[in-house]
Amino acid sequence: MIRSTNSIYINSIEPSAFDYIELLKIKVMRLAIFTAGVAMIIAPMPLNPFIALGSIVCIALGAGASGALNMWWDSDIDSVMKRTLTRPIPSGKITSDQALSFGIFLSVFSVIFLALFANFLSALLLAVTISFYIFIYTMFLKRTTPYNIVIGGAAGAFPPMIGWAVATNTIGIESILLFLLIFLWTPPHFWSLCLITKNDYSATKVPMLTETHGVEATKLQIFIYSIILSIPSILISFSSIGGLIYLISSIFLNVIFIFNAYLLMINSKNSKKYPFVVEKRLFLYSIFYLFVTFLLLLVEHFSKFFLPSYLVMIEDLLWI
Amino acid sequence: MDLNKVENDLNIKRKSRNIWLALSLGLFIVIVFLVTIAKLSDGNLIEGFDHTLRPSLLKE
């Protein structure tokens, strides 16, 4: 008894380093690091590895700052939902004020240092990303419209554009396509998660599509978005970062994505033994899809160095 | 509530946090140093504009 009272008392006044790290939403941060890193590598301008490292750290901290500020604003929702109940603020490990000051500090720090390490364009894009995620998505869209995740998905789509800007100091058509890829990937990815955690959202006042329009409408939207998603995904093949390897693999990936979304749409039964099995499959596949798509861009980039020159020539000829 | 134990636990938590902070700052100093070296290796970029035309400002 004494031990549990002690630990609650200590947690509330003295957060540990791990509590602060938890505020950064490491899973979201990983996605930002990976997509921005790939964009830096595949960009046509060579980038000094140390500048790339410094920039990646800034982008990661910026993404983490967004997570901390999001947790600060949404602590009331987090304390109701089972999935988010153990986050640092609702569990009493960190106070709202500590999360707010940590988030603001990291935001300012990451933007200033990205400007110093790389260039002003990438720092501006990082500032826009953090502001969009906090002011537009978290504070406004999330609690007002069921399409919150559609527009809010833009925040998660910016990192490859920032990575591209770090390397080239421009916003090219390639970075816009990468932006669109993640932007259109977010709704089916997040809605499939919402279908699994539907009961969680019904306890809050967040107007998720599953609550306002129902499960069937959400499944239809997922299917529509999975089709639209294939457009930028395949268009990338015809840009300077794409190629034959990417095109063939991308077609396969998109067909499987659409097929999984179709299976979800026509599935009306929920097995009691294996609940949400189709939803979970689509959710996990969406993660795999994005990871492999970016991995393929890397493969395409490095294939130019490793493939025999005649194969590269054939690929170039096919692309003219 | 055992006050001695609370104080001891608080100190452990503080120490752990301070170590993490020191490591983060150390890592950041290393990154700043490496970026500085990388930037200095391209000297033209660090020459400020002093309202005088000089050859390095002209594009080849």
Side-chain angles (χ1 to χ4, degrees), chain A residues 44-56:
Chain A
M45 306 277 278
L47 184 64
N48 186 294
F50 297 138
I51 293 176
L53 174 74
S55 304
I56 282 282

Side-chain angles (χ1 to χ4, degrees), chain A:
Chain A
M1 183 66 192
I2 288 171
R3 188 173 181 78
S4 83
T5 318
N6 284 354
S7 74
I8 291 167
Y9 174 72
I10 293 160
N11 280 341
S12 62
I13 58 166
E14 203 69 55
S16 71
F18 294 104
D19 298 331
Y20 278 104
I21 292 169
E22 219 182 321
L23 270 182
L24 302 176
K25 288 193 180 177
I26 299 296
K27 282 182 186 170
V28 180
M29 200 196 243
R30 272 195 320 219
L31 176 74
I33 293 172
F34 177 62
T35 55
V38 170
M40 278 181 204
I41 294 168
I42 62 175
M45 306 277 278
L47 184 64
N48 186 294
F50 297 138
I51 293 176
L53 174 74
S55 304
I56 282 282
V57 169
C58 291
I59 295 168
L61 290 179
S66 307
L69 291 171
N70 172 270
M71 283 198 202
W72 159 71
W73 184 262
D74 279 345
S75 57
D76 57 331
I77 301 173
D78 288 349
S79 59
V80 179
M81 287 169 61
K82 208 164 80 182
R83 182 171 66 91
T84 53
L85 200 61
T86 52
R87 282 181 177 176
I89 301 175
S91 60
K93 291 176 193 165
I94 279 185
T95 65
S96 289
D97 289 346
Q98 284 168 330
L100 175 65
S101 43
F102 186 58
I104 292 173
F105 167 74
L106 280 187
S107 304
V108 176
F109 181 89
S110 59
V111 171
I112 290 175
F113 274 93
L114 188 60
L116 292 170
F117 287 170
N119 50 54
F120 283 106
L121 178 66
S122 52
L124 180 72
L125 286 171
L126 184 63
V128 168
T129 309
I130 299 169
S131 310
F132 187 90
Y133 189 66
I134 300 306
F135 298 115
I136 310 286
Y137 171 70
T138 306
M139 292 186 176
F140 176 64
L141 292 171
K142 190 169 178 179
R143 297 176 196 231
T144 51
T145 165
Y147 290 95
N148 44 22
I149 201 66
V150 178
I151 313 162
F158 272 113
M161 198 177 245
I162 301 171
W164 187 272
V166 165
T168 64
N169 202 9
T170 57
I171 298 172
I173 184 73
E174 294 85 355
S175 75
I176 293 172
L177 285 170
L178 291 175
F179 172 89
L180 284 175
L181 178 80
I182 302 180
F183 180 68
L184 293 167
W185 166 86
T186 310
H189 166 74
F190 199 77
W191 282 332
S192 56
L193 175 69
C194 287
L195 287 170
I196 303 162
T197 58
K198 187 178 174 291
N199 293 337
D200 253 14
Y201 279 104
S202 55
T204 66
K205 287 179 182 172
V206 179
M208 290 311 295
L209 197 68
T210 45
E211 294 301 316
T212 57
H213 291 65
V215 171
E216 296 309 313
T218 309
K219 288 178 177 177
L220 176 68
Q221 291 289 326
I222 289 175
F223 180 64
I224 294 168
Y225 270 93
S226 68
I227 295 170
I228 305 172
L229 169 66
S230 63
I231 299 169
S233 174
I234 291 170
L235 275 179
I236 288 173
S237 316
F238 305 101
S239 69
S240 70
I241 54 173
L244 199 58
I245 303 168
Y246 176 87
L247 175 68
I248 295 165
S249 319
S250 170
I251 289 170
F252 272 110
L253 283 172
N254 281 289
V255 167
I256 298 169
F257 201 121
I258 294 168
F259 181 67
N260 272 322
Y262 175 72
L263 285 181
L264 176 70
M265 191 176 66
I266 59 166
N267 175 57
S268 54
K269 289 175 190 167
N270 190 14
S271 159
K272 279 186 181 170
K273 200 174 175 188
Y274 304 106
F276 304 114
V277 67
V278 189
E279 288 84 349
K280 279 177 187 167
R281 193 168 58 204
L282 181 68
F283 176 71
L284 291 174
Y285 181 76
S286 67
I287 297 169
F288 172 80
Y289 170 91
L290 197 72
F291 176 70
V292 174
T293 301
F294 274 80
L295 211 60
L296 281 168
L297 289 169
L298 278 180
V299 171
E300 189 66 59
H301 176 75
F302 288 113
S303 71
K304 284 159 191 157
F305 303 109
F306 295 113
L307 277 181
S309 55
Y310 68 91
L311 277 178
V312 177
M313 225 161 77
I314 293 168
E315 198 184 345
D316 286 346
L317 282 171
L318 286 168
W319 245 238
I320 288 170

Side-chain angles (χ1 to χ4, degrees), chain A residues 3 6 9-11 13-15 17-18 48 50 54 57 109 113 116-118, chain B residues 1-2 5-6 9-10 13-14 16-17 20 28 31-32 34-35 38-39 41:
Chain A
R3 188 173 181 78
N6 284 354
Y9 174 72
I10 293 160
N11 280 341
I13 58 166
E14 203 69 55
F18 294 104
N48 186 294
F50 297 138
V57 169
F109 181 89
F113 274 93
L116 292 170
F117 287 170
Chain B
M1 196 183 292
D2 183 354
K5 172 136 182 49
V6 168
D9 286 354
L10 280 175
K13 276 207 163 189
R14 267 188 210 135
S16 150
R17 210 175 57 207
W20 273 93
F28 187 69
I31 291 171
V32 171
L34 292 174
V35 172
K39 293 239 173 199
S41 63

